[in-house]
Amino acid sequence: MKKYITYLIAMLILSLSLCFPAAAEKAPITFSEDFNTLYYQQSYTRFDASSLNFELQGGIIDDPIQLSANQQMAVDEVELREDMNEVIIHAMIKYHDGSTLYVYYLREDYIAEYQQLREEIDGDYTVDFAWPEENIVVHGKDAFFGKKTTVSSDTVSRSHCFTVYVDSRSGALALIKGELLLDDGEYYFLSYEENDIDGSEELYSGRYESFTVWEITDAELLEKLDQAESAYYDEDVGFLYDDELGEVITAVAMIFVFAVLPFGAMITFLVLAIRTTKLYRKLSVIICILSAIEISVFSLIAAIIMIAQ
Amino acid sequence: MLRKLIKYDYKSMMRFWWIAALISAALAFVGGGSAFLLGSEMDLPETIEAMAVLVLIMVVVSFSIFAVLSMILVLVRFYKNFFTDEGYLTFTLPVKRSQLLNSKLLAGSGVMLLTYLVCAVNVFIIFFFGAIREIFQKDFFEKLMDFVREILQEIGTFEILVMIEALVLFVLVILISLLFPFCCITFASIVAKRAKAAAAIGIYYGASSVLSFILQIFYLFGISSLTIWLGKVSENAVEPIILLILLVVILMAAIICLILYFLQYWMMDRKLNLS
């Protein structure tokens, strides 16, 4: 008996020790003294990320960060976040004096691609409609520069804007070239370069009264944009039902609540108005009148929406 | 006579209301303190930050509790004045049944409006303390005036009409939120022989659950379908359609309000057997 118990305990200890994997020590993230270089599994170099189109991941990099003695004297905290393609790192460096430095780093093997992207003149432009997923239009650059005109900043503010960018060779980087404006059915391309502005923050800053834009006249591009725009507006945001079924259910429910029920109330209280007196009659008459008005207004709305479909 | 009824109803409802309002205002200052701490540039320990957030959440929850307490005060006054021993006195007064009902409605609406006003002031106190550093900067009032001017420039006929409709809808919703429990309490008093208050709560809860279920279905399907339908309408027609939709909602609310009033009056007049 004692033997079996001993074997059992030995097996338990062995299996437990095998279950716990040796925690691989993660190499710490380090910076050069001047914070111009970062090392995180690979080398990253500080660079100018302005006008790049990328999205940072939600969570911060939780690998340990090792600062030099000098850096520790000045720096309180460092937070790092990667972009979705894992080629750009955003660093938020908080100093003891309360100031904060925001720095972008690019993986060294993408520097050549980045420089090529900045120098690229003739690449295809991509318009990102953002919704639904992968709703993008790719077309030659020249088609975006149609008829040159000017629009006011008010027009830009009220237009629907979609980012226009150029992808790098591998697709890991994208440089924003401007915005596609949709104003009352017309498409315009607003180039940041031609307007000498840095990005969308300047676009809505209120410092500019008007912008130079190009009305898109290329038929092929217009057709692509129309299709993408329809997908953008028609994609249903419901999650349980097919488009048509959901719309039918909604239409039936709305007709029942806003037409059938008030109609029923109108008839009921019309009868009551005839058969009752005093306050009951007054209330019944008011309910009938309101029901009639409500049904008329609802019918008007329904007619306008049906004509528009 | 209606004025006297309103006066006594109001006095009865306010007896404990003002205590709750004071406590709520005091808590608003506590919440303001938390907002001040959270908005400060001080390097607070994480525990203090977490406690400040917790205090702020509890203060905001307390505002909801204050609103619920106000509603309870109104309903208790309605129940006690009509359906307890007090009711025998109430219904012998030389006033019409409709005046008795109207006084409860008007006094109750006044109390609820005051409650929402106090809650709004409390929220303002929290934001004030949270932003107090910015307020005492030199150019704050200039920036505020610029902001107000920008808002006023954006306000056109459409925005004004929407605000008017929203206000009317707000008043109707307050009336419905009072009439609906009134009807549940009266109905419970008619059908239940004992434990009328418990029966009233049960009927109110049941009816509210059914209504919430219907509204959830509307919300689930209606919003996305409306978005799709309105997206196909010409841009010039969108604003008038929104105004008409709000008008339809207001008319429906008014109809519901009147039907509830009709029901309530009918139950009081014909079913309570108090003449």
Side-chain angles (χ1 to χ4, degrees):
Chain A
M1 189 64 187
K2 273 190 190 171
K3 223 193 271 180
Y4 289 124
I5 292 170
T6 312
Y7 281 143
L8 195 62
I9 292 169
M11 274 172 61
L12 266 168
I13 292 169
L14 185 65
S15 56
L16 277 173
S17 66
L18 287 172
C19 280
F20 281 104
E25 287 236 354
K26 290 184 188 177
I29 301 171
T30 55
F31 290 88
S32 61
E33 275 299 325
D34 54 7
F35 285 108
N36 279 340
T37 318
L38 176 154
Y39 188 84
Y40 171 50
Q41 293 166 8
Q42 294 182 68
S43 249
Y44 287 76
T45 305
R46 188 169 174 168
F47 81 121
D48 175 18
S50 61
S51 298
L52 280 188
N53 188 38
F54 61 92
E55 200 183 322
L56 291 173
Q57 295 181 22
I60 58 172
I61 299 172
D62 57 9
D63 290 32
I65 299 171
Q66 189 174 33
L67 299 174
S68 68
N70 286 338
Q71 287 170 339
Q72 280 179 35
M73 278 171 56
V75 171
D76 191 27
E77 190 188 345
V78 177
E79 250 181 42
L80 301 173
R81 289 167 70 199
E82 261 186 313
D83 76 317
M84 294 300 193
N85 293 323
E86 297 179 357
V87 300
I88 296 172
I89 289 181
H90 171 249
M92 183 175 71
I93 304 167
K94 284 186 192 168
Y95 289 87
H96 289 309
D97 63 6
S99 62
T100 309
L101 178 68
Y102 299 97
V103 185
Y104 287 95
Y105 297 92
L106 179 66
R107 236 165 71 181
E108 279 195 343
D109 50 343
Y110 280 88
I111 290 176
E113 194 172 320
Y114 166 73
Q115 277 162 354
Q116 193 187 25
L117 183 64
R118 286 268 182 207
E119 288 155 15
E120 179 74 63
I121 301 169
D122 294 319
D124 282 350
Y125 280 12
T126 304
V127 184
D128 185 4
F129 280 80
W131 170 265
E133 230 174 286
E134 302 295 330
N135 188 13
I136 58 172
V137 168
V138 183
H139 205 80
K141 171 194 167 186
D142 291 335
F144 284 83
F145 291 90
K147 195 170 115 190
K148 190 171 176 178
T149 181
T150 312
V151 296
S152 67
S153 57
D154 284 342
T155 305
V156 173
S157 300
R158 69 154 191 267
S159 301
H160 289 164
C161 297
F162 304 99
T163 310
V164 178
Y165 58 88
V166 171
D167 273 318
S168 66
R169 195 179 56 229
S170 69
L173 301 169
L175 186 68
I176 300 175
K177 286 299 191 181
E179 302 281 333
L180 180 80
L181 310 179
L182 173 56
D183 177 42
D184 207 16
E186 299 294 332
Y187 290 102
Y188 302 93
F189 173 57
L190 190 153
S191 165
Y192 286 158
E193 223 168 356
E194 299 293 333
N195 283 280
D196 198 24
I197 54 178
D198 270 342
S200 58
E201 295 84 21
E202 282 212 318
L203 201 63
Y204 303 112
S205 64
R207 284 205 291 273
Y208 302 89
E209 284 191 10
S210 64
F211 296 94
T212 305
V213 296
W214 281 261
E215 185 183 344
I216 293 175
T217 52
D218 182 86
E220 203 184 319
L221 177 57
L222 282 172
E223 199 188 318
K224 285 185 186 177
L225 292 173
D226 278 338
Q227 279 174 7
E229 190 214 337
S230 298
Y232 177 83
Y233 284 112
D234 292 350
E235 181 74 6
D236 72 87
V237 295
F239 13 83
L240 290 183
Y241 60 90
D242 177 56
D243 270 356
E244 281 184 22
L245 181 60
E247 285 185 44
V248 165
I249 291 173
T250 307
V252 166
M254 285 197 170
I255 290 169
F256 181 72
V257 171
F258 292 106
V260 172
L261 287 180
F263 184 72
M266 190 171 74
I267 301 297
T268 309
F269 284 93
L270 191 63
V271 169
L272 284 170
I274 297 165
R275 297 178 71 170
T276 57
T277 55
K278 297 183 190 172
L279 182 62
Y280 293 111
R281 176 174 281 181
K282 273 189 214 168
L283 287 171
S284 302
V285 166
I286 297 171
I287 292 171
C288 285
I289 293 170
L290 285 176
S291 300
I293 298 171
E294 193 272 332
I295 292 167
S296 315
V297 176
F298 178 74
S299 305
L300 177 63
I301 296 170
I304 295 172
I305 288 177
M306 276 173 63
I307 290 168
Q309 307 303 307
Chain B
M1 198 61 192
L2 178 64
R3 249 187 273 174
K4 276 207 177 124
L5 288 172
I6 293 172
K7 178 182 153 190
Y8 286 107
D9 279 329
Y10 200 66
K11 272 172 94 170
S12 166
M13 290 171 193
M14 293 299 270
R15 209 162 9 131
F16 299 111
W17 182 89
W18 70 271
I19 298 170
L22 268 177
I23 294 172
S24 171
L27 285 172
F29 281 97
V30 170
S34 296
F36 177 78
L37 274 177
L38 288 169
S40 74
E41 282 158 9
M42 291 188 283
D43 202 11
L44 297 169
E46 280 184 19
T47 327
I48 304 287
E49 267 191 32
M51 279 180 64
V53 169
L54 208 59
V55 164
L56 201 53
I57 292 170
M58 282 166 64
V59 164
V60 171
V61 166
S62 76
F63 298 160
S64 311
I65 295 172
F66 169 53
V68 168
L69 271 171
S70 301
M71 176 66 91
I72 290 173
L73 285 171
V74 172
L75 297 178
V76 164
R77 170 68 183 171
F78 176 82
Y79 176 75
K80 281 176 90 173
N81 204 232
F82 284 170
F83 303 107
T84 60
D85 293 339
E86 248 183 77
Y88 289 106
L89 259 174
T90 308
F91 288 105
T92 55
L93 289 171
V95 291
K96 295 184 209 171
R97 297 278 162 96
S98 59
Q99 283 179 311
L100 289 170
L101 178 57
N102 292 344
S103 84
K104 297 288 175 294
L105 262 182
L106 290 168
S109 303
V111 167
M112 292 314 295
L113 277 169
L114 272 174
T115 304
Y116 294 134
L117 188 63
V118 167
C119 287
V121 169
N122 290 344
V123 168
F124 174 76
I125 290 171
I126 292 175
F127 275 110
F128 176 80
F129 280 99
I132 202 164
R133 254 175 229 88
E134 280 82 19
I135 289 168
F136 285 107
Q137 278 176 8
K138 276 185 198 167
D139 56 351
F140 172 76
F141 285 104
E142 260 181 57
K143 283 186 190 167
L144 183 65
M145 292 318 296
D146 284 339
F147 177 70
V148 169
R149 246 179 256 122
E150 268 179 47
I151 300 273
L152 289 174
Q153 272 170 8
E154 293 297 319
I155 291 178
T157 318
F158 170 68
E159 285 79 14
I160 291 172
L161 286 171
V162 167
M163 282 192 282
I164 293 171
E165 286 186 316
L167 206 61
V168 170
L169 192 57
F170 179 63
V171 170
L172 285 170
V173 164
I174 289 179
L175 289 171
I176 292 173
S177 71
L178 290 173
L179 278 166
F180 182 58
F182 284 0
C183 285
C184 293
I185 292 170
T186 312
F187 183 68
S189 300
I190 294 165
V191 301
K193 301 270 186 265
R194 292 180 213 163
K196 294 181 183 184
I201 292 168
I203 291 168
Y204 176 72
Y205 185 72
S208 303
S209 302
V210 168
L211 278 172
S212 300
F213 178 72
I214 294 168
L215 281 170
Q216 283 295 327
I217 293 179
F218 250 111
Y219 183 73
L220 197 60
F221 295 106
I223 300 287
S224 51
S225 297
L226 258 181
T227 313
I228 293 167
W229 293 337
L230 285 179
K232 292 179 183 170
V233 168
S234 122
E235 276 193 39
N236 294 332
V238 170
E239 284 181 359
I241 287 183
I242 290 173
L243 289 173
L244 286 174
I245 290 173
L246 279 173
L247 179 63
V248 161
V249 173
I250 287 170
L251 288 166
M252 278 303 291
I255 292 167
I256 292 168
C257 193
L258 285 167
I259 290 175
L260 285 172
Y261 186 93
F262 185 98
L263 257 174
Q264 175 60 37
Y265 180 73
W266 176 72
M267 284 193 286
M268 274 172 60
D269 193 32
R270 302 285 168 88
K271 289 287 172 187
L272 276 182
N273 244 351
L274 289 167
S275 346

